[in-house]
Amino acid sequence: MAIHYQKLFTKDVGLLNGNLQIIACAGSGKTDFISERVAFQLKEKVARPDEIVAFTFTEKAAEELKFRIRKKIKELIGKQPDICDMHIGTIHGFAFNLLKEFIPKYRSYDVLDEVSRLAFISSIRYDINIEHLKNSLLTRFTRPYNRNTENWAITRFIRDADIIREESLPVKVAVTSSFTDAFDIYLEKLEERKFLDFSSIMRIAADVLESDKTVLKNVQSRYKFFTVDEYQDVNPIQEKLIQLISGKKNVCVVGDDDQSIYQWRGADISNIMSFTKRYPKVRIHNLETNRRSHDKIILSAKEFIKLNSTRLKKNIQHTDLKNEPGDLYKIIFDKQEEEIEWIKKKIKSLIGKAFNDTGSERQIQYSDIAILFRSISNEAQPYIDVLSDPQDPVPLIYSGVGGLFDTVEVSGIIEIFEYICECDRDIDYSDQFLTNVLRQLIPIFSLKTKNVIREIKVLRDWARNQKRLSLQNLYLKLLSIVGMDKPDLHDPNDDVLLYNLGRLSQAISDFENSREYLTFRDIKSFIWFIRLHAENSYDSGNTNEKATLVNAVQIMTMHGTKGLGFPVIFMPSHFRREPFRDFGATFLDMKKVNLTRYLNQTDDERRLFYVAMTRAKKFLFLTTADYKIDGQRRSHHISLFDEVPDKYFITSPKPDPTKRKPCKKLGISSEIMFPTSYSELSYYLNCGYDYKLRFLHGFNPGIVPQLGFGRQIHNIINLLHNEFNATTRIPDKKKIDEVIDAHFYLRYASKQISDSLKIHARKSIEKYVKMWKTDFSLAIKTERPFELEFNNALISGSIDLLKRDSVDESILEVIDFKTGKPNSDLAEKYDLQIQLYTIAAREALGLNTKKALVHYLDDEKNQRVEVITSTYAMKNASEQIGFAIGGITTASFKRDARRNQVCKNCDFCDICPKRSGFKA
């Protein structure tokens, strides 16, 4: 339910500028406060949209904030055409945009997230001499139990490399030359392959702002008002960036010290604790009412977190949402088997029961339930085994990829990969080996073993003969062989199976995208990447925002719940371990650097437990057992479990005293909006089932060598226009060559293919400059971003070129560049895209555009084709876009095999049931 602060901001306009600290307890509606504050800044003309920056912890949080701000603006102002000029996103996203603007070479770089960086480092393991790194650690530290030494060494290397950059430390704080040599090589390889990781983005951006006063002045004069969400989790380099871009003026920080749970990643809680001392003239405003959870959840969590030694002053309150008897259980079972069975029965009993969600009743579904563990890899498996028992299963999915490789379908596919590449010398990869693997998959895929063995052998020979192998294509072909293309595996009840297989596709992409190309030998490298790194390190990966679209219970880490809420939360098996009293294995000299705040203290564990508890909206079940499944007795002497007050819970496994009312209504909030782009929508218009496989389940297509060619052409044209804006000179051949040589880069192309495409690009761009040189003086903006509200979607995009007409300069033209040729099969799709961009220019940007053109950048004609923008044509375009949005939001993902051309060119033809009229 939205919270309104209009009276507050109307009465106290001073809250709209200056430095402000918002202390926001869990579930207190901070997003509503932030969004309404931004809307009032615009309404009262305190700020323009392009002066506003809002930093969020995740991209998902950024999207939610965008939607809320737009809704508030609509209520207060009506319409604000240039609203997309606000920067709302992560701080590393802002820093990357800054680098791309002021250091153009970074426009062709790609960003490695935590998972893909692990894959990248595994690809340079010999360059950084992983053996040397391992040995230098083993001379000073004992390898953790049940941890392979390579993953141990690499994760320690990653952590220490980040610390050096984020804490602004000299590399000489490292004890060994093995680290300093590897660190230098790592940075060189990032540069060589045109990658950036999050730490390098922020380090380089901070260095640029500190060293180049012109850039700093430009940035500070452009951006004037700043909001920093989740401020308690800001680390030193992020704080430095905030101070640099803001000059410590008009900074509004929003956070809660009780929810600081990332100290082990470098988050510095002292930032929020001492904000009023470090920034001038700070006002404080408290948001103390938790509107997410029912009363007993809030009261129990409040009493629990008060045990922490140092906290900001706050008085956490609840609303009139009342818990019923049986909503909260806190039970110590004798045996873990009993605990798990109780959880399973409780889940089953709640499915289909009524839940009052923001004022309207709906039924509880599996996707409303989350089971939270501190570590999935260390704690979750006994629970997963029982819950997913084929005889009486509870559908489960994993928020990261932790646990994914233990599922029957994924582990079976990995074993077939092992068979194909004969991964281990001491294993006999015979027909019997394959038969044993397939026997496990029969209940899932309904296989005929003899036929499948024969086809897998053919696939193995095909893969061995590929000069350049797409591991993703190999995977899709293998899925086809085991029966993925059968219609009975594409029923909505199989969403969990498809989701897991899609997540494996993503893991393959993480591996494949970090390498320039693969051969048959790299299948074995992928297997070892899974064994050494993925199985141990994907556990704490980010929560998948598409996971909630699958009707299954989510298995999550406590850390992964940040910003989320669920009607039902289970917290099993939670006993606090001894706080980490030392830093563990490290390459750093701890005598030269003080990193005690990275250590896990009792208060940190309590904050994590508090965050997990406050994710619950109505039902909260805390359980544990004296004896684990293996018969070991648990130690209770440091249990957080005992600190949670019993008085709010039922403390024995007695039956639920409240009779739960069944409900048939499937609730979908009318306020739900989803972020998208024309590219995503076009996949739906092509085939709804393609969209489902690609964006809901996460399947990825194979990589082609030409990938990124269009992006490079667009980038170079934009750079040439920027050059003209700076010099007012039309780029000559020398300048074109200079820009192409400096910036043209195709990550996955061989030198031969890259050189050929580079020649093609040069011809196209030279012809463009020669034929359309008037564009340079008539251009208003290249790569003009927009965000268009359309029904319940927010469509983002970028108009390649906005310009005045060469004859009548009062006429504005929208131009989109394409690297293909006219009259292709894609012409209709291009027309719809430019029509949508014309709608965006008019409605989202407030521009009076009269012409829309598709510019085909082929090196022969380089021609520009006008697209019809009549009232009828635009109405038809709107209807097509509306059809796609409506289909996606109502989960209608149909396919029609009669469209043979569509199926022929589909990335997922191998795994899709080829039957006319099939409905997903």
Side-chain angles (χ1 to χ4, degrees), residues 135-152:
N135 292 336
S136 67
L137 277 183
L138 288 168
T139 58
R140 294 181 298 126
F141 301 98
T142 302
R143 176 179 64 86
Y145 173 73
N146 200 29
R147 184 79 175 273
N148 73 73
T149 53
E150 178 165 319
N151 179 260
W152 176 55

Side-chain angles (χ1 to χ4, degrees), residues 257-301:
D257 55 302
D258 290 338
Q259 298 183 71
S260 180
I261 59 174
Y262 286 104
Q263 92 292 338
W264 53 280
R265 285 185 178 175
D268 190 349
I269 196 172
S270 69
N271 284 322
I272 193 169
M273 303 297 287
S274 65
F275 181 75
T276 56
K277 298 176 182 178
R278 294 180 298 106
Y279 283 71
K281 299 179 180 178
V282 175
R283 292 188 62 182
I284 297 176
H285 184 80
N286 287 354
L287 299 175
E288 298 177 320
T289 302
N290 183 329
R291 292 174 169 83
R292 174 193 298 135
S293 305
H294 289 200
D295 61 340
K296 289 184 180 179
I297 295 170
I298 297 166
L299 291 169
S300 62

Side-chain angles (χ1 to χ4, degrees), residues 56-184:
T56 58
F57 193 69
T58 63
E59 290 296 345
K60 186 175 184 291
E63 297 297 348
E64 182 183 359
L65 183 57
K66 286 178 184 179
F67 293 141
R68 299 278 188 92
I69 288 175
R70 287 174 174 275
K71 184 178 180 183
K72 298 294 186 183
I73 288 174
K74 198 175 292 183
E75 292 171 0
L76 291 173
I77 304 172
K79 196 168 186 180
Q80 182 75 34
D82 51 354
I83 189 173
C84 66
D85 291 335
M86 290 186 293
H87 176 88
I88 302 173
T90 61
I91 194 166
H92 62 262
F94 177 89
F96 188 38
N97 288 338
L98 186 150
L99 290 180
K100 288 188 288 186
E101 178 175 357
F102 293 103
I103 308 177
K105 75 171 187 177
Y106 289 115
R107 290 173 61 88
S108 58
Y109 281 52
D110 290 318
V111 179
L112 297 170
D113 62 17
E114 294 177 7
V115 174
S116 55
R117 175 168 66 162
L118 193 61
F120 172 76
I121 290 180
S122 75
S123 76
I124 58 168
R125 57 195 300 275
Y126 295 112
D127 299 285
I128 64 174
N129 198 342
I130 189 62
E131 288 298 321
H132 195 189
L133 283 171
K134 286 193 297 186
N135 292 336
S136 67
L137 277 183
L138 288 168
T139 58
R140 294 181 298 126
F141 301 98
T142 302
R143 176 179 64 86
Y145 173 73
N146 200 29
R147 184 79 175 273
N148 73 73
T149 53
E150 178 165 319
N151 179 260
W152 176 55
I154 284 181
T155 53
R156 298 304 87 185
F157 170 79
I158 288 173
R159 182 193 63 177
D160 291 353
D162 285 348
I163 287 173
I164 283 175
R165 290 173 293 174
E166 293 173 7
E167 302 279 344
S168 302
L169 300 174
V171 72
K172 63 184 179 183
V173 299
V175 174
T176 66
S177 60
S178 66
F179 175 85
T180 54
D181 291 345
F183 181 72
D184 289 340

Side-chain angles (χ1 to χ4, degrees), residues 629-677:
I629 281 182
D630 60 10
Q632 290 187 350
R633 183 174 176 84
R634 279 201 170 100
S635 171
H636 285 234
H637 67 284
I638 54 168
S639 172
L640 285 178
F641 190 92
D642 296 332
E643 295 182 353
V644 179
D646 288 351
K647 60 186 176 182
Y648 301 109
F649 295 80
I650 293 175
T651 56
S652 67
K654 67 181 184 181
D656 187 346
T658 298
K659 187 175 182 180
R660 306 293 174 180
K661 183 174 66 174
C663 179
K664 293 184 178 180
K665 182 181 178 183
L666 294 172
I668 299 176
S669 173
S670 60
E671 295 185 357
I672 289 178
M673 296 187 74
F674 80 100
T676 188
S677 65

Side-chain angles (χ1 to χ4, degrees), residues 767-786:
K767 183 159 285 190
Y768 167 75
V769 173
K770 181 179 179 181
M771 291 179 62
W772 303 98
K773 58 185 176 184
T774 56
D775 281 6
F776 289 89
S777 59
L778 295 171
I780 297 172
K781 182 72 176 176
T782 54
E783 296 190 2
R784 177 62 166 100
F786 68 81

Side-chain angles (χ1 to χ4, degrees), residues 169-216:
L169 300 174
V171 72
K172 63 184 179 183
V173 299
V175 174
T176 66
S177 60
S178 66
F179 175 85
T180 54
D181 291 345
F183 181 72
D184 289 340
I185 292 169
Y186 172 62
L187 297 184
E188 287 173 10
K189 291 296 180 182
L190 284 174
E191 183 69 18
E192 178 185 309
R193 297 193 191 176
K194 296 184 183 291
F195 281 123
L196 290 166
D197 61 22
F198 293 154
S199 295
S200 61
I201 289 172
M202 293 184 290
R203 177 74 269 158
I204 296 167
D207 290 345
V208 168
L209 290 170
E210 282 192 305
S211 63
D212 193 325
K213 302 304 178 186
T214 302
V215 173
L216 179 62

Side-chain angles (χ1 to χ4, degrees), residues 746-757:
L746 295 178
R747 182 175 306 284
Y748 306 109
S750 65
K751 186 177 185 306
Q752 181 181 0
I753 293 174
S754 181
D755 287 347
S756 174
L757 290 173

